[in-house]
Amino acid sequence: MNDSEDWKDWGSATLGVRAAELRGAEREHSPAIHLTSSFIFENAAQAAAVFAGTEAGNVYSRFTNPTVRAFEQRLAAMEGGDSCVGTASGMSAILATFMTLLRAGDHIVASQTLFGTTINLCNNIFARFGVETTFVAPEDVQAWRNAVRPNTKLFFVETPNNPLTDIADIRALAEVAHAANALLIVDNCFLTPVLQQPLKLGADLVIHSATKYLDGQGRCMGGAVVGDSTRVGKDVFGFMRTAGPSMSPFNAWVFLKGLETLSLRMRAHCEAAHKLALWLREQPAIEHVYYPGLPDHPQHALAQAQHLRLGDGPDAPTAYGGIVSFEVKGGREAAWRVIDATRMLSITANLGDTRTTITHPATTTHGRVPAEARARAGIKESLIRVSVGLENIEDICADLVRGMRA
Ligand SMILES: Cc1ncc(COP(=O)(O)O)c(C=O)c1O
């Protein structure tokens, strides 16, 4: 089996296919699924040593499982982190990170345009335990600086964000966070390590909803935290061992297989999304298109500088992601009409699937966010989010145009 010495010079595509290959005594080529809750010991003394950590070995799949570990090592290699901990969902990755790093009385500065459930986690759950959050515009670095308090411990941002594709400057936010002795956490769900590597830009921790592009086919729930060997390898791992929102070995196997095709899929998603954004802009029923690849996107230049390229070589185009959002003329009624007129697209809240999905954020993913916070985040009733899949782009456009004509 290859090891991290081999990996250090590999590109993203190779890492996704080959890093942390899991090989067992049967010499299987595709990784095995270690579907077991516990592991056995030669004798009581060995059990005691492995439990105490003085001898290496698996104990119990709440915190040690070979298939989950292979996924963790592969994702850590792709993100350029020392350690990764797999979790039961993207939300449990955020929960585990906050529970590990925060105490009552601490303060978070977070983007006001996060995924709705992340906003609710801060406002409805952590607030109950004495942790306050200040929400700011992701692209306004001065607003992050102004929001810092003596008790600020974390900055939390998604970039591009869900659903408006605003881009935050990771390098600048890392500087502001570090000057305040706080950590910068980046939810890298929308771009994945193939298209953006926040740790290399100064972020301290990366969060993933593996449910999205890492799986890539809408099958399994999962999440991950990536970072250094102390905060993640020891502290978040320790929280998981005790609290247990763990990733199932079966799901880890699905994600491992997903990582093998991630580079190829992300390229196809980005190319199709870019075409869709350009096409939408030409449609008379459309009020506004949100896509970082459009030259009039307010952070287009930042996206060009921060995102990785689609493929090798200096001429390879910049990646802008597979999510396009747009406002239709006529408010909620018109937006629902476009959604309801589709016959091929999937009306569902998930994203990052081979199948194109269509969502009305104001009443679904962000429906439980208070109306005022939603308005501040710029999520209007006329907004539709499309996660562009791998179907032919002409078929996606034909499905969308039906409701626009109506
Ligand atoms: C950006 C982002 N982060 C986190 C999550 C939460 O992930 P999960 O649904 O796997 O808990 C989502 C889910 O949609 C998301 O879009």
Side-chain angles (χ1 to χ4, degrees):
M1 182 176 146
N2 59 60
D3 62 32
S4 50
E5 260 312 291
D6 298 304
W7 312 343
K8 66 182 182 340
D9 298 323
W10 288 351
S12 266
T14 313
L15 289 169
V17 177
R18 288 288 186 183
E21 280 186 290
L22 193 58
R23 294 269 161 80
E26 302 294 336
R27 304 183 62 76
E28 68 280 358
H29 190 205
S30 179
I33 311 177
H34 291 267
L35 213 50
T36 175
S37 4
S38 68
F39 298 84
I40 57 166
F41 307 102
E42 289 298 325
N43 48 49
Q46 191 194 34
V50 177
F51 260 81
T54 52
E55 185 179 324
N58 297 304
V59 175
Y60 191 63
S61 286
R62 187 186 328 111
F63 57 105
T64 51
N65 179 280
T67 315
V68 177
R69 189 161 52 247
F71 163 74
E72 292 168 340
Q73 288 179 349
R74 187 171 293 180
L75 185 61
M78 294 177 81
E79 285 285 2
D82 301 327
S83 283
C84 169
V85 170
T87 58
S89 66
M91 289 318 301
S92 51
I94 302 172
L95 176 72
T97 305
F98 284 8
M99 291 296 281
T100 302
L101 298 174
L102 295 170
R103 303 280 175 280
D106 286 347
H107 174 243
I108 303 171
V109 186
S111 163
Q112 68 193 12
T113 47
L114 294 172
F115 171 53
T117 310
T118 311
I119 294 178
N120 291 340
L121 182 72
C122 296
N123 283 344
N124 302 350
I125 300 190
F126 276 87
R128 281 202 277 125
F129 296 96
V131 173
E132 248 189 277
T133 306
T134 304
F135 293 97
V136 294
E139 73 286 357
D140 185 351
V141 177
Q142 189 57 39
W144 290 79
R145 197 176 282 118
N146 294 345
V148 167
R149 299 178 190 170
N151 56 342
T152 302
K153 291 289 167 14
L154 300 181
F155 279 22
F156 192 95
V157 71
E158 281 165 23
T159 179
N161 74 349
N162 183 0
L164 291 174
T165 75
D166 295 310
I167 309 290
D169 186 336
I170 296 175
R171 242 185 250 282
L173 293 188
E175 261 177 42
V176 177
H178 296 159
N181 283 326
L183 301 175
L184 174 64
I185 305 177
V186 177
D187 184 329
N188 203 20
C189 172
F190 267 37
L191 288 184
T192 83
V194 169
L195 307 181
Q196 175 171 268
Q197 293 171 344
L199 298 177
K200 294 189 181 158
L201 299 170
D204 300 285
L205 295 166
V206 167
I207 296 287
H208 274 286
S209 165
T211 318
K212 309 293 181 319
Y213 289 108
L214 305 192
D215 173 341
Q217 296 187 45
R219 297 163 292 194
C220 290
M221 298 295 300
V225 189
V226 189
D228 64 84
S229 50
T230 304
R231 280 188 205 102
V232 176
K234 189 167 145 288
D235 299 344
V236 178
F237 174 81
F239 172 83
M240 294 297 295
R241 178 175 187 160
T242 306
S246 321
M247 176 177 281
S248 103
F250 179 83
N251 291 9
W253 180 83
V254 171
F255 299 139
L256 258 182
K257 303 305 283 180
L259 290 179
E260 292 186 15
T261 56
L262 184 64
S263 171
L264 210 54
R265 283 186 285 108
M266 290 314 291
R267 189 187 301 200
H269 286 300
C270 289
E271 285 169 358
H274 208 148
K275 284 184 189 158
L276 180 68
L278 292 171
W279 176 83
L280 281 167
R281 244 184 11 170
E282 301 305 317
Q283 305 311 305
I286 302 299
E287 187 95 56
H288 189 78
V289 182
Y290 297 86
Y291 187 66
L294 297 177
D296 57 359
H297 184 286
Q299 295 93 37
H300 177 66
L302 175 59
Q304 271 184 322
Q306 185 160 280
H307 298 175
L308 299 174
R309 294 184 178 274
L310 294 173
D312 302 324
D315 299 331
T318 306
Y320 297 106
I323 308 296
V324 182
S325 293
F326 55 96
E327 283 156 12
V328 294
K329 293 175 186 160
R332 181 196 286 196
E333 200 187 319
W336 280 21
R337 200 181 309 125
V338 170
I339 293 171
D340 291 347
T342 58
R343 292 197 208 134
M344 179 186 78
L345 269 52
S346 312
I347 306 174
T348 180
N350 201 24
L351 58 90
D353 198 308
T354 52
R355 287 156 291 190
T356 299
T357 63
I358 187 163
T359 311
H360 184 245
T363 50
T364 60
T365 53
H366 293 71
R368 288 187 301 140
V369 175
E372 190 199 328
R374 212 168 44 234
R376 203 175 339 115
I379 298 166
K380 299 185 183 153
E381 291 285 337
S382 55
L383 187 76
I384 293 176
R385 186 194 73 191
V386 171
S387 163
V388 185
L390 303 183
E391 307 96 337
N392 289 97
I393 186 69
E394 296 77 13
D395 297 327
I396 298 171
C397 296
D399 212 31
L400 282 169
V401 87
R402 204 174 290 119
M404 293 181 199
R405 284 206 196 106

